Amino acid sequence: MLSRLLCKRVFPLQSYLDYSSSCSILSHIFQNAFCSKVSGDSPIANKLEKAEQNVLLPKLDFLRSIGVSSDILQKIILSNPWLLQRSLENQLIPCYNFLKNLPLADKDIVGIIRRNSRILGTNVEKIATNLDALQRMGVPQSSILYVMAHHPTLMQLNCEKLKLSIDEVISLGFNPLTTLFVQAVLVLCESSKETWENKVKVYRSFGLSDAAIKFAFRAHPLCMKLSEDKITRGMDLFLNEMRWSPGIVARWPAALFYNFEKRIVPRCRVIKVLMQKGLVKEHHTLMPFLGTTEEQFLEKFVCKYKDVFPELKDVYASGLILKHN
């Protein structure tokens, strides 16, 4: 009954979305955002078409006016239908104006909304207070824009929690002038004490001291946002199979972020063979072969030895088999 009723009243959305998605989206909105049962004789059924015209359409018009495409709009409504309950004049437009004055271009604001549509529904005073806390510590405008573009959730956090995290990051010696500072703040804000300790335990299990873990966090704060499974798989390969020291990973924890099947495994297999053949020395950093493009890696570590070890390309290809499985 709900779907049949809504399909008769999708006209306002058809200018933004295709007909079928209009039906499903409207159903989602009224089932989840408005939490009402729609039946043929219910009050909301009789007023549904009027509500679309008077309430929803101006908000959809506003979102489209700032550059939100139909595809993005569909994703926003499906993931966060409650956004359309927020006041256009008192919430959506003031929040947009605040972001615009940072300054951010419309395309950047649309990018932020695509990553986290809830930012438009966040209290502007909260965003302003959190931004002020960062600015008071000397965080530059470039880092502020980086936070808004890539980690807008930071601006939605409890203001007091954010201030405590900033103080802790300062105590760890991070420089507010770098993006590592805001990354560290983000990690501390989003990590519970239990989650943090569990990941510390994983790193310790592979021989990293507390000092080494702190060093890795300072080198790449997001290493403490990786899942325990991803940390375990990477550390196990680097230390137990490749026989490298824990200090190598501590100096360059970004190595753990790469795709395990597509990059880490096939490249490590090649390097391991080259080391066994004495063609390359043990690496003291993972950057030369994990941090390069595939073309650069093939040129430096595969094609370079094709005359003395032509089978090397097969070693690399065997590692890539995991990629297709």
Side-chain angles (χ1 to χ4, degrees):
M1 183 64 174
L2 174 62
S3 298
R4 189 165 61 253
L5 178 67
L6 293 176
C7 285
K8 295 178 181 179
R9 295 177 163 89
V10 297
F11 179 75
L13 277 177
Q14 287 184 37
S15 58
Y16 306 93
L17 311 170
D18 61 72
Y19 182 81
S20 60
S21 62
S22 300
C23 295
S24 62
I25 288 175
L26 271 176
S27 175
H28 194 79
I29 291 171
F30 282 92
Q31 283 183 324
N32 296 286
F34 293 93
C35 300
S36 299
K37 290 183 178 180
V38 181
S39 60
D41 57 354
S42 67
I44 195 169
N46 298 326
K47 297 179 181 179
L48 182 55
E49 187 171 1
K50 185 176 181 180
E52 290 177 33
Q53 296 284 357
N54 297 337
V55 180
L56 298 182
L57 196 55
K59 297 172 184 178
L60 296 172
D61 279 333
F62 166 70
L63 291 172
R64 187 170 66 173
S65 73
I66 65 175
V68 178
S69 67
S70 298
D71 291 340
I72 296 175
L73 182 60
Q74 180 172 330
K75 292 177 182 178
I76 289 173
I77 296 175
L78 288 175
S79 65
N80 183 22
W82 296 271
L83 183 65
L84 297 181
Q85 284 187 293
R86 305 308 299 269
S87 169
L88 177 62
E89 294 77 14
N90 299 328
Q91 176 60 47
L92 302 186
I93 293 178
C95 189
Y96 163 76
N97 288 336
F98 180 87
L99 296 175
K100 189 77 173 176
N101 290 330
L102 280 178
L104 287 168
D106 279 349
K107 65 176 183 178
D108 297 319
I109 295 175
V110 171
I112 294 170
I113 296 172
R114 186 177 67 249
R115 294 184 186 91
N116 181 10
S117 61
R118 298 182 189 277
I119 192 71
L120 274 184
T122 303
N123 185 283
V124 176
E125 291 184 5
K126 174 185 280 190
I127 300 175
T129 300
N130 285 339
L131 280 176
D132 182 66
L134 292 172
Q135 290 170 336
R136 286 178 178 273
M137 297 309 304
V139 175
Q141 183 73 359
S142 59
S143 291
I144 296 294
L145 297 179
Y146 167 82
V147 168
M148 294 306 306
H150 300 283
H151 307 290
T153 53
L154 193 63
M155 297 299 98
Q156 300 170 276
L157 296 172
N158 176 277
C159 299
E160 189 58 35
K161 182 175 183 179
L162 177 64
K163 291 177 181 177
L164 291 173
S165 296
I166 289 174
D167 291 340
E168 187 170 352
V169 169
I170 288 291
S171 70
L172 290 172
F174 281 88
N175 183 352
L177 296 177
T178 68
T179 54
L180 291 180
F181 179 88
V182 291
Q183 288 180 0
V185 171
L186 174 74
V187 172
L188 289 181
C189 283
E190 294 186 346
S191 301
S192 66
K193 184 176 181 181
E194 180 182 5
T195 299
W196 179 275
E197 286 300 324
N198 286 340
K199 291 178 183 178
V200 167
K201 289 178 182 177
V202 174
Y203 282 116
R204 283 176 181 159
S205 69
F206 287 97
L208 268 70
S209 65
D210 288 348
I213 296 172
K214 183 182 292 187
F215 184 90
F217 179 64
R218 289 187 61 183
H220 201 314
L222 298 181
C223 71
M224 294 302 288
K225 283 197 70 177
L226 293 171
S227 68
E228 293 177 38
D229 178 66
K230 189 165 181 62
I231 295 171
T232 299
R233 294 176 75 193
M235 294 295 289
D236 181 61
L237 178 64
F238 295 146
L239 274 62
N240 295 331
E241 185 173 339
M242 300 300 293
R243 300 297 179 183
W244 289 325
S245 68
I248 291 179
V249 182
R251 287 193 296 273
W252 201 59
L256 295 168
F257 285 78
Y258 291 115
N259 186 285
F260 192 77
E261 288 80 12
K262 294 181 180 180
R263 179 172 297 208
I264 295 178
V265 170
R267 295 193 183 190
C268 279
R269 286 187 176 181
V270 169
I271 297 300
K272 185 176 182 179
V273 170
L274 290 176
M275 289 169 56
Q276 291 172 340
K277 298 289 184 179
L279 295 173
V280 299
K281 295 181 179 180
E282 180 177 348
H283 280 269
H284 298 290
T285 174
L286 305 176
M287 181 65 182
F289 68 94
L290 282 182
T292 58
T293 65
E294 183 164 16
E295 291 74 17
Q296 291 171 329
F297 175 81
L298 289 172
E299 181 180 356
K300 187 174 181 179
F301 295 103
V302 178
C303 297
K304 180 179 179 179
Y305 302 101
K306 64 181 180 180
D307 293 333
V308 295
F309 191 31
E311 298 88 356
L312 201 57
K313 62 180 181 180
D314 296 325
V315 174
Y316 182 66
S318 67
L320 289 175
I321 290 175
L322 290 171
K323 169 181 175 181
H324 301 291
N325 289 335

